[in-house]
Amino acid sequence: MEKKEMTRRDILKVGTAAGLTAVAGSMLGATKSFAQAKKAAKFKLRMQCHWPVGVGYYKFAFVEYCNRVREATDGEVDITPYAPDTIVPTKDALEATGSGLLDMNWCWGAYWQGKMPVASLFCGHTFVWDDFSAMYWNSYCQEAMSIYRAAYKDHGVHLLVPIGIDGITLWSKKPLQKLSDFKGLKVRSTGLPAETLKKAGCTPVFFPGSELYQALQSGVCDAAHWGAVYTGYEMKFNEVTKYIIQPDLARVSNAEITVNKKLWDKLPKDVQRLLEEVGMSINYECYSRCDYFSKVDAKKFVKEGGKISTLDKETLKQLQKFSDQVLDEYAKKDPKYCGPVVKKYREMFDLVR
């Protein structure tokens, strides 16, 4: 009897992949073992990112995702990565993905909080997730992900996976220790963190990441956050600020991968699953890299003459109180989506606080 060659669909039917980091590797290995020749691309997709090309995670996360999907499918799914604003301005990427102008998008959901408030909750609010594990089980074990996906569906978009970044670090030209130090501080901030900082007495201002260095250098803003210590260091904030504020305003912050919903519904189930599972492996790796390099870069910063400014306990308690108030406000503002997500946050707080 002639031995039948296994296909990718056969492999995927055998069972689910075990563990986030093992997913992409096992899929790659299986594909290479059974594929005899590189196939022509059946799905040629375009995905744009909001991260500047020069930062490390543009390559080790965004471009790497496209490469792994292409290799895992033996070329059947070919995703071309595009730099920020190449096809559409970042602020318009949600609509562009919903309309099909973009097939996929990689961004930070707070950019659309005015159109979809719950997107900011998906990014990660101040003092919500203590670590990556808490983010994962809140999103998946508590099934908050189903709520987020329903909200994105309203915009013609499928929310694929979160991409975890190691926290929200505030870089400042001034030391911050007491709540009074926040009064009048001009801070570049977005999403729900900006709402928390506003309650603390700050004046939140916003401009794209490409303008952040110059804004700090010229004094247009006194402080800024752009991801974790590592991501801020890559943006060279260490050259134009004197202080890293600790602890971070959040320990986990999420970027997102989204897909045009009509396109997603047309994709074969095995391709859908592969896109998601490769994304989850990148999710874990991106967070781990940022966590590691944040610790390395913090030491570099101090060695170069920078200082760590630590918030006192009373200030942390007050900032957390402001953060909780913002959650309540968003739950009332958007009872359909933010309301149930905030409820799940509260259930989580009962376990970890």
Side-chain angles (χ1 to χ4, degrees):
M1 182 176 179
E2 184 178 353
K3 187 176 180 180
K4 182 181 178 182
E5 179 183 335
M6 290 186 72
T7 67
R8 189 176 67 253
R9 285 184 173 82
D10 294 326
I11 299 165
L12 288 170
K13 289 178 182 178
V14 171
T16 58
L20 296 177
T21 54
V23 170
S26 63
M27 298 293 281
L28 286 172
T31 302
K32 286 183 176 180
S33 297
F34 294 104
Q36 299 300 314
K38 191 166 185 177
K39 303 176 180 66
K42 291 183 179 179
F43 305 99
K44 295 183 70 67
L45 311 177
R46 304 190 304 171
M47 178 162 65
Q48 183 173 292
C49 183
H50 72 300
W51 285 338
V53 175
V55 300
Y57 47 30
Y58 179 91
K59 183 176 181 179
F60 72 64
F62 176 52
V63 175
E64 179 66 10
Y65 175 77
C66 299
N67 290 341
R68 287 190 190 183
V69 168
R70 188 180 305 109
E71 188 173 359
T73 61
D74 200 32
E76 286 190 47
V77 181
D78 188 358
I79 305 173
T80 301
Y82 286 86
D85 305 319
T86 304
I87 300 176
V88 297
T90 296
K91 65 181 180 64
D92 299 328
L94 178 70
E95 290 88 347
T97 308
S99 69
L101 182 58
L102 287 175
D103 299 307
M104 303 177 71
N105 185 45
W106 183 306
C107 202
W108 199 52
Y111 284 111
W112 4 103
Q113 73 171 41
K115 308 157 189 171
M116 184 170 42
V118 77
S120 274
L121 293 176
F122 181 67
C123 288
H125 185 33
T126 49
F127 309 105
V128 170
W129 299 315
D130 289 335
D131 53 35
F132 185 85
S133 178
M135 181 279 286
Y136 181 86
W137 59 255
N138 178 235
S139 298
Y140 290 91
C141 299
Q142 288 186 298
E143 299 183 349
M145 196 69 175
S146 63
I147 303 170
Y148 297 130
R149 282 177 169 159
Y152 278 73
K153 184 179 177 181
D154 288 348
H155 295 265
V157 172
H158 174 72
L159 177 61
L160 189 66
V161 291
I163 300 294
I165 306 299
D166 177 32
I168 298 176
T169 302
L170 195 60
W171 295 71
S172 178
K173 302 176 82 170
K174 306 173 182 179
L176 301 176
Q177 295 176 315
K178 299 180 179 180
L179 193 63
S180 58
D181 296 333
F182 287 81
K183 303 298 182 183
L185 188 77
K186 293 179 293 183
V187 56
R188 186 273 185 188
S189 184
T190 55
L192 274 70
E195 301 290 337
T196 299
L197 291 170
K198 186 175 181 179
K199 288 182 180 293
C202 295
T203 302
V205 292
F206 175 76
F207 15 78
S210 59
E211 300 175 16
L212 264 175
Y213 182 95
Q214 185 177 1
L216 285 165
Q217 184 180 48
S218 64
V220 173
C221 65
D222 306 308
H225 62 79
W226 176 268
V229 171
Y230 163 63
T231 50
Y233 199 89
E234 283 240 307
M235 296 285 280
K236 301 189 183 300
F237 289 178
N238 56 301
E239 296 179 353
V240 289
T241 62
K242 294 182 179 180
Y243 300 92
I244 290 175
I245 311 303
Q246 288 293 290
D248 288 344
L249 300 181
R251 285 299 301 125
V252 184
S253 179
N254 286 331
E256 64 186 34
I257 300 179
T258 56
V259 187
N260 172 267
K261 186 63 170 62
K262 290 182 179 179
L263 168 64
W264 175 257
D265 291 340
K266 292 178 181 177
L267 292 174
K269 294 297 182 183
D270 63 326
V271 172
Q272 289 181 347
R273 180 171 162 186
L274 186 140
L275 290 176
E276 183 170 0
E277 292 189 338
V278 173
M280 288 304 291
S281 73
I282 293 289
N283 175 26
Y284 180 84
E285 290 180 29
C286 187
Y287 178 85
S288 299
R289 280 178 180 259
C290 288
D291 192 28
Y292 169 72
F293 285 117
S294 286
K295 291 173 174 57
V296 171
D297 290 340
K299 285 192 173 184
K300 286 182 185 177
F301 181 71
V302 173
K303 190 174 182 179
E304 293 164 353
K307 297 180 180 180
I308 305 296
S309 183
T310 304
L311 300 171
D312 63 34
K313 291 183 180 179
E314 190 56 39
T315 298
L316 283 172
K317 287 181 181 179
Q318 191 60 52
L319 288 173
Q320 187 177 81
K321 181 179 178 181
F322 291 147
S323 175
D324 288 349
Q325 289 174 0
V326 172
L327 288 178
D328 289 337
E329 290 168 2
Y330 268 66
K332 292 179 181 178
K333 181 179 181 180
D334 177 22
K336 184 177 181 180
Y337 296 123
C338 287
V341 168
V342 170
K343 183 179 179 181
K344 291 183 182 296
Y345 277 171
R346 298 293 184 204
E347 293 170 358
M348 180 182 65
F349 295 157
D350 287 342
L351 298 175
V352 300
R353 285 187 179 178

